[in-house]
Amino acid sequence: MANLKERISIVDGALVHRQGSEILQIEPWGGDSLRVRATVGPEILPTPWALTGPAGEPAARGRAQIEVTDAAAVIRNGKISARISDIYTQSGYLQFFRRGSDGAEKCLLSEQDYVVWAHNPTTRVYRPRGEGLCHSEVHFAPRQGERFYGMGLQATGTLDLKGCVIDLYQRHVKHTVPFLVSSEGYGLLWNNPSVGRVELGHNLTRWVSHGCRQIDYFICTGDSCADIMHRYADATGHAPPLPAWAAGLWQCKLRYASQAEFLAVAREFKRRGLPLSVLVIDFLHWTHTGDWALDPQAWPDVPALVRELNDLGVRIMISPWTLVHPMSRNWQPMKEAGLFTGSTAGRCDTVCFGGVNGEDNWMHQYDPTNPAAAAYLWDKWKKNYVDQGIRTFWLDPCDDLHEIADYEAVQFHIGPGVEVHNYFPVAHQKNVCQGLHAAGEKDVVTICRSSWAGSQRWGAAPAAHDIMSSFEHLRTYMKAALNMAMSGIVWHASEIGGFITPDPDSDYFRELIVRWYQYGVFTPIFRTHGCRPHNEPWSFGEQACRCISDAILLRERLKPYIMAQMDLASTHGAPPQRPLFFDFPDDPRACQIEDQFMFGPDILVAPILDYGRRQRQVYLPAGATWTNAWTGAVYPGSETVTVDAPIESIPVFTRDKSQWIPPSEP
């Protein structure tokens, strides 16, 4: 075997290691960041996937320092470096380090050392599966006490993901965003939209792709979580500035079936003096699925509807869906032009979904990765929605609607589903965002049912969809929302009240929706939705209405603070809603708290997550003094206090005498 120096080359500022059929390439990618690609194919591919500027441009590559000796090859970009060396069990062994202000090097991440030669599985695995694809894996060594956060919206029931196995596919109660932040001080993006999984085990961290052309990941470091999120946003795209109209209440239910019903809701909000930002027209507003137009029988005068809502200061959002039924006017031309997703196995070119107006369940799905399909869909959306004055879209769905077992058999324009499945939401979000920009709409915010790395730069506000109306799901998805925030998706939306509601008239549900609203005030997008006959504040009895109204009015008072946090989210990638350790990294207890969070740097929120609870313990992190927002009582940090939680409010504390919430409220 050639010695290390003979296997190393420097190509355009990138460090390249060749051994056998494998090419391993490491290059700078923004500040304090590196991109790693490896393949057994003929060359490293330039496909960017989630990564955008500042890319590995000549100027960025010129900043890298590369040193090659007999013992190791090292590439450094700012505070991060990668080292390739030979160890007893592996040639081309890869490790990453962070240089501190004192010049000391700390190991951030290492490939697994399997100790012995016998039956060594290697740390970079390639198993050819045809058509240029490989089942590929990367194995990293575990670190004692390491914690992981991020990975999108996953119903693990935990905030710390260490010990979890996460399948890498999209589903409407699951958003796969393969970026994680480690307590060891790095962020890692698995820049690969293929179907796969990640195993965050106590004995091994293993990233798996069931079919890709190359291993591709991005790693960054920084002095804080905020620095890491900033580096990640620089690499994958910053969220645009949130428009002020998006900071208030988004009202929705399944579904407002007519123009008259829709208008009555908007007028009642106005009559009651309740602020309303967005009112949503959900699916089945069409004559046939895939018409992408409002049914004139139910919606007879859309321009008049838009004018009245505009006069009320309310924006209309609509959910056009992405399926096309053979009874639709668009089915035949799209079928002839090949604008639907196809099949690699001849069995899944249609998807099953409940129809309406005599439709059966089998429909076709537009292919968002096909430029011709994107242009066709946007032409219809523009004519039938945007030109009518409806300029905000709910992208439900924006995930592959085939059966999960069929994901690998779907064929997209840009490749087989096994290779590109997770890219579906980004492709659709990009199509809609660019279409709106071309139509003159500057402020794009899209609620979306799925998301992937980079979704944030297209104005995506992901939300859990079709979750249960239960305190259990409130607990689960509160933690999932914090991990979504740590995935670089800064505009996460709640689904206040949950969607599937067995008994909307029960005392249990009335208390649940009050507690969910009180939590939702402190989420980036303040949104309610549900499958129940009525979902307006006045629908749940006098006491619930009073509490919900207080929550809506509190959200309105917080708008200056919210917009300040949204500006930071856009410019620096700092999520407004985040775990306690984000702001208090030096407090070892902060990372143990999973049922509280910070909303910006000055507001600590402790939601009520159990039915009937009227009191709870709240941990107040060290390094600050804390004021009970409702009583004005002041507490030192590093204490656990027991706080009353009457049905009218949840525990909220402000930091260091911040006055964002007047002590007399609510």
Side-chain angles (χ1 to χ4, degrees), residues 31-34 77-81 97-99 108 184-187 218-224 227-228 231:
D32 304 323
S33 308
L34 297 168
N77 181 28
K79 296 175 181 177
I80 197 168
S81 63
F97 297 83
R98 176 180 178 275
R99 175 176 288 176
L108 297 173
E184 292 294 306
Y186 67 88
F218 162 91
I219 183 169
C220 62
T221 191
D223 294 334
S224 64
D227 286 348
I228 291 170
R231 295 305 186 204

Side-chain angles (χ1 to χ4, degrees), residues 242-249 275-277 313 521 526 552-566 599 660:
L242 186 81
W245 60 259
L249 176 65
L276 178 63
S277 289
V521 168
F526 184 39
I552 295 170
L553 294 170
L554 173 59
R555 177 75 177 198
E556 198 71 12
R557 289 194 299 276
L558 283 170
K559 273 189 176 180
Y561 179 78
I562 292 169
M563 294 308 298
Q565 305 318 309
M566 291 302 185
F599 189 58
W660 285 109

Side-chain angles (χ1 to χ4, degrees), residues 422-505:
N422 283 296
Y423 195 69
F424 190 112
V426 179
H428 187 40
Q429 290 150 7
K430 179 181 177 182
N431 294 341
V432 173
C433 184
Q434 291 182 334
L436 284 166
H437 284 164
E441 184 68 19
K442 296 180 180 179
D443 298 328
V444 176
V445 185
T446 54
I447 301 294
C448 49
R449 196 169 86 173
S450 288
S451 52
W452 193 66
S455 286
Q456 71 279 355
R457 73 178 183 261
W458 305 113
H465 282 64
D466 296 7
I467 61 178
M468 294 295 297
S469 296
S470 68
F471 277 96
E472 178 184 3
H473 266 197
L474 174 56
R475 286 192 299 273
T476 295
Y477 285 94
M478 185 212 74
K479 296 175 185 178
L482 294 175
N483 273 319
M484 176 64 87
M486 295 301 293
S487 306
I489 307 291
V490 294
W491 287 356
H492 174 264
S494 187
E495 187 147 282
I496 292 172
F499 181 77
I500 301 172
T501 313
D503 188 358
D505 296 321

Side-chain angles (χ1 to χ4, degrees), residues 389-437:
I390 300 174
R391 306 173 73 85
T392 303
F393 291 95
W394 179 8
L395 305 185
D396 180 8
C398 58
D399 56 305
D400 189 348
L401 268 173
H402 290 93
E403 294 294 323
I404 294 171
D406 287 333
Y407 283 171
E408 292 198 13
V410 179
Q411 180 67 43
F412 291 94
H413 176 77
I414 61 171
V418 66
E419 179 187 12
V420 304
H421 158 81
N422 283 296
Y423 195 69
F424 190 112
V426 179
H428 187 40
Q429 290 150 7
K430 179 181 177 182
N431 294 341
V432 173
C433 184
Q434 291 182 334
L436 284 166
H437 284 164

Side-chain angles (χ1 to χ4, degrees), residues 225-288:
C225 284
D227 286 348
I228 291 170
M229 302 307 289
H230 196 171
R231 295 305 186 204
Y232 175 72
D234 285 347
T236 61
H238 288 253
L242 186 81
W245 60 259
L249 176 65
W250 297 51
Q251 173 68 37
C252 184
K253 74 162 189 174
L254 182 76
R255 63 189 173 99
Y256 297 117
S258 70
Q259 183 166 332
E261 182 186 8
F262 193 76
L263 279 170
V265 170
R267 291 165 181 165
E268 185 64 13
F269 267 93
K270 178 69 173 180
R271 188 188 72 80
R272 291 174 177 263
L274 290 176
L276 178 63
S277 289
V278 180
L279 191 56
V280 183
I281 301 173
D282 202 349
F283 82 148
L284 299 183
H285 60 259
W286 46 73
T287 304
H288 296 296

Side-chain angles (χ1 to χ4, degrees), residues 342-352 362 402-411:
S343 170
T344 62
R347 72 175 187 272
C348 62
D349 57 335
T350 57
V351 300
C352 183
W362 293 100
H402 290 93
E403 294 294 323
I404 294 171
D406 287 333
Y407 283 171
E408 292 198 13
V410 179
Q411 180 67 43

